[in-house]
Amino acid sequence: MSDDSDLFSASAVAAARIAELRGELERHNRLYYEEAAPVISDALYDRLYAELVALEQKHPQFVTPDSPTQRVGGRPLEQFSQVPHLSPMLSLDNTYSEEEVGKFFVRLEKLLPGHAVPTVIEPKIDGVAISLVYRDGKLSHAATRGDGTVGDDVTRNVCTIRSIPQQLGGPAEAIPPLIEVRGEIYLPKARFAEINEERQAEGLPVFANPRNAAAGSLKQLDSAIVAGRGLDAIFYSTGALEPAPGHEWKTHREALAGLKAFGLPVHDWLAIAESVGEVLGAIRRLDVERHGFLSETDGAVIKLDSFAQRQRVGHTAKSPRWAMAYKYKAEQAETRLHDITIQVGRTGVLTPVAELEPVFVSGSTVARATLHNEEEIARKDIRKGDIVVIEKAGEVIPAVVEVRTARRTGAEEVFRMPANCPVCGGPVSREEGQVAVRCLNPFCPAQVKRRMEHFASRGAMDIEGLGEAMVELLVTNQLATNIAQLYHLTAEQLATLPRSGEKSIANLLAAIEASKSRPLWRLLFGLGILHVGVTSARSLADHFGTLDRLMAATEDDLQTLPDVGPVVAPAIVNHFVREENRQLIEELRAAGLNFGERDEPRDTRRQGGKLAGTWVITGTLSRPRDEIAEAIRDQGGKVVGSVSKKTSYLLAGEEAGSKLAKAEKLGIRIVTESELQAMIEDQGD
């Protein structure tokens, strides 16, 4: 009786724990797949999932069809129409253990006795799974993973991603009547850092990592916003496939070569292995090289190369038996959080910042990390004095990912957002629907400084010598309290500032004077209009021609542009409605800035000649890259960030790296800086 009672008790405990784990995992699945806002690390999720798998294996009577172990991903979002996948999108079993990778390979050998087991190892991109269907070479639709059988139709948003062809290329006879292509949509790491900086300035929640940013972008109902995000894609497999006769693929390597020939982006990194040692060697090598990739890469995927062998090995209801993902452990470091200070941005957003005991992580020493907003601090329960775990989001931005609550002494302090601006003492407010707290004083010195730095930055008005230190001096000494007053500075005023010699004063005044002639798009970007980045500023300047015509535009007028949608249009209109902004613009007009009247009309610019085509710039050059890119655009060229078979020219400076190698491989013309100058001069005047 006692034994039966003990068994019943153990079974009840297991059932309760299984129910608890399912509830937790369902919540985290929803946060990860549907809201793009995970609250735990991948490693912790995997531990919870592994515990559930082990319990269900031990107690199979409790396995149900709705268990997270029996399904993939999350349910489709209601605001998108749904589309069924032609073949299920299975997920991969994953591990953090090299020993498990070895066991996986041994299982393959047992399942394929007497045969060599060639495998391919490729990067695991940390993005959003996507499935594209092409019929007779034309893109039919694109869908997210969803629940593995039905996903969200995100075709309009995917069509904004320049690297994804809407019509497959290559020989017509090789185009399959039907092909379902699988891959990842991702946000390049550098663009991730830029977007978070923009969102923080706008008072919006920042993205925790590039994967969240990509997911949040694909969920946008306004495809114009998606177009401005800078998403990219990598494809690595197929689902349903009706190959063209005589063009069947027998191996994964052949499939990748075929996808590449169709014009679909595939990853350049690939390794072949036929033993456990070779597999482990490849994933270790990838761990070193992945830090130089444009995308965040969180692991390696090991697959059987032969499709015939994959067919023999088969799959479970959830995962293929012929593939496994090995995930790298994120580089982290422990340190003490001494204080939480407040930074005030150019739009008045108050951003809490962790002041840390300096610690080395992912290649650099970290002493500060943004905490984003009060909600984020409360969610993670971060307190002054805590021992915290630091990680670099997207290998770029230092972030506090965990608090060692077990090591608290009781002396830690709970953070409270200040009731007044810590810089000017003015009132602060939190707008409905936003997480940001803002200083309401537009003349707050901190806001003025940040706006002035942005206005003078290289991407905007490019005023050399007007960096952070000089801006600090100008605002602190009340020589300039808005950007228009920069144009009234005199040598006598600047001479009163410390470390200001005659030459540096003359250079600064000359740079300020030169900025009056900058093209309209630079002024538009420099004004810091909400949601208007460099790309949008160029589009607005090209379309409206002058600042006055832009200021008179309605929301409907603005939405005729491909880069402007129902979110961006009202932001532009609202900016020009505000009295303080209109007054500033009149002051800039009086100072003699170019409002577009002095710009050469777009339709009279030289569009042909030797610079027409698509350009990529790489390496160290004698002039700022933005300046060279502008010169190329003025002569009819288009400048993009990555090399593809559509690239016409690669401008290569000193220490050109992977872009140069890829361009050489694709047979793209390589141009030096001196050759570029000769090409420009050959245009004639």
Side-chain angles (χ1 to χ4, degrees), residues 531-605:
H531 299 307
V532 174
V534 170
T535 302
S536 299
R538 288 182 186 278
S539 179
L540 291 167
D542 282 341
H543 183 80
F544 291 100
T546 69
L547 182 56
D548 290 314
R549 281 200 285 270
L550 173 60
M551 290 173 66
T554 65
E555 289 187 25
D556 288 341
D557 295 333
L558 289 161
Q559 288 193 55
T560 62
L561 276 72
D563 293 327
V564 179
V567 174
V568 180
I572 295 171
V573 171
N574 291 339
H575 181 89
F576 292 123
V577 164
R578 293 173 61 182
E579 181 58 35
E580 65 266 28
N581 291 336
R582 296 187 74 89
Q583 182 179 337
L584 177 65
I585 286 166
E586 290 310 311
E587 291 178 30
L588 293 172
R589 189 196 305 275
L593 272 72
N594 176 22
F595 278 25
E597 296 87 350
R598 300 197 294 268
D599 287 348
E600 188 179 1
R602 183 181 185 185
D603 58 4
T604 64
R605 293 181 190 171

Side-chain angles (χ1 to χ4, degrees), residues 100 141 205 219 255 283 460 496 628:
E100 287 298 319
H141 64 265
K219 286 167 54 180
I283 63 177
T496 65
I628 294 173

Side-chain angles (χ1 to χ4, degrees), residues 464-534:
E464 190 172 351
L466 193 56
E468 185 177 344
M470 178 54 72
V471 167
E472 176 75 30
L473 288 171
L474 292 174
V475 176
T476 302
N477 290 277
Q478 297 188 324
L479 296 183
T481 57
N482 68 32
I483 57 177
Q485 291 178 9
L486 293 171
Y487 296 95
H488 299 290
L489 289 171
T490 66
E492 290 75 21
Q493 288 175 312
L494 294 173
T496 65
L497 300 177
R499 298 183 300 281
S500 294
E502 286 186 20
K503 186 175 181 180
S504 63
I505 290 173
N507 288 341
L508 176 58
L509 291 175
I512 292 172
E513 183 65 25
S515 72
K516 293 180 181 180
S517 301
R518 299 281 187 255
L520 176 60
W521 72 264
R522 285 185 173 274
L523 175 59
L524 292 178
F525 180 57
L527 289 175
I529 303 169
L530 193 64
H531 299 307
V532 174
V534 170

Side-chain angles (χ1 to χ4, degrees), residues 617-684:
I617 303 173
T618 188
T620 304
L621 301 160
S622 66
R623 292 184 290 160
R625 189 170 291 187
D626 289 345
E627 183 180 321
I628 294 173
E630 188 64 20
I632 292 172
R633 292 188 187 98
D634 283 345
Q635 298 294 341
K638 176 183 177 182
V639 181
V640 300
S642 57
V643 174
S644 72
K645 68 176 187 178
K646 297 178 182 178
T647 304
S648 310
Y649 304 94
L650 179 81
L651 175 60
E654 297 294 326
E655 299 178 3
S658 59
K659 290 181 182 179
L660 175 59
K662 185 172 182 180
E664 290 173 338
K665 185 177 178 182
L666 293 173
I668 292 164
R669 180 176 171 184
I670 313 299
V671 177
T672 66
E673 194 171 356
S674 59
E675 288 172 334
L676 172 67
Q677 190 58 41
M679 292 168 72
I680 293 173
E681 292 170 358
D682 282 347
Q683 296 296 313

Side-chain angles (χ1 to χ4, degrees), residues 355-370:
E355 305 293 344
L356 306 165
E357 184 72 29
V359 62
F360 191 82
V361 59
S362 295
S364 66
T365 299
V366 174
R368 309 182 85 210
T370 178

Side-chain angles (χ1 to χ4, degrees), residues 417-476:
M417 187 66 81
N420 295 88
C421 174
V423 176
C424 70
V428 298
S429 174
R430 178 171 173 172
E431 293 181 22
E432 186 177 351
Q434 291 197 348
V435 297
V437 175
R438 292 180 188 273
C439 168
L440 300 179
N441 174 18
F443 305 105
C444 170
Q447 292 186 54
V448 173
K449 291 172 188 175
R450 301 293 85 77
R451 287 197 294 267
M452 201 172 289
E453 288 170 13
H454 173 74
F455 182 80
S457 66
R458 180 176 291 178
M461 298 299 277
D462 193 17
I463 304 177
E464 190 172 351
L466 193 56
E468 185 177 344
M470 178 54 72
V471 167
E472 176 75 30
L473 288 171
L474 292 174
V475 176
T476 302

Side-chain angles (χ1 to χ4, degrees), residues 227-385:
R229 287 283 169 85
L231 297 174
D232 210 332
I234 291 288
F235 294 95
Y236 46 72
S237 68
T238 61
L241 174 61
E242 296 175 15
H247 293 275
E248 297 83 4
W249 299 324
K250 295 182 179 180
T251 66
H252 183 69
R253 281 177 281 178
E254 288 180 4
L256 289 181
L259 295 180
K260 188 173 183 178
F262 292 153
L264 289 157
V266 300
H267 211 291
D268 291 335
W269 201 100
L270 188 75
I272 311 299
E274 295 191 9
S275 69
V276 172
E278 289 179 355
V279 170
L280 295 179
I283 63 177
R284 291 166 189 162
R285 190 166 67 253
L286 176 59
D287 190 18
V288 174
E289 297 178 23
R290 67 190 175 102
H291 301 291
F293 296 163
L294 295 176
S295 61
E296 186 166 19
T297 305
D298 63 348
V301 179
I302 305 102
K303 305 175 181 176
L304 275 174
D305 189 30
S306 165
F307 289 164
Q309 289 186 333
R310 291 184 184 183
Q311 189 78 18
R312 290 181 59 187
V313 170
H315 57 80
T316 67
K318 184 174 182 291
S319 306
R321 291 192 179 94
W322 44 262
M324 170 176 270
Y326 174 83
K327 299 181 76 171
Y328 300 115
K329 294 177 181 176
E331 187 176 340
Q332 298 179 332
E334 274 190 1
T335 190
R336 186 174 295 280
L337 190 158
H338 290 301
D339 197 7
I340 298 177
T341 57
I342 299 292
Q343 280 187 342
V344 182
R346 62 183 170 89
T347 62
V349 173
L350 274 60
T351 302
V353 176
E355 305 293 344
L356 306 165
E357 184 72 29
V359 62
F360 191 82
V361 59
S362 295
S364 66
T365 299
V366 174
R368 309 182 85 210
T370 178
L371 297 173
H372 304 306
N373 53 63
E374 190 174 19
E375 279 191 358
E376 180 79 356
I377 293 173
R379 184 176 66 80
K380 292 181 178 178
D381 190 20
I382 299 170
R383 305 180 186 182
K384 297 180 186 179

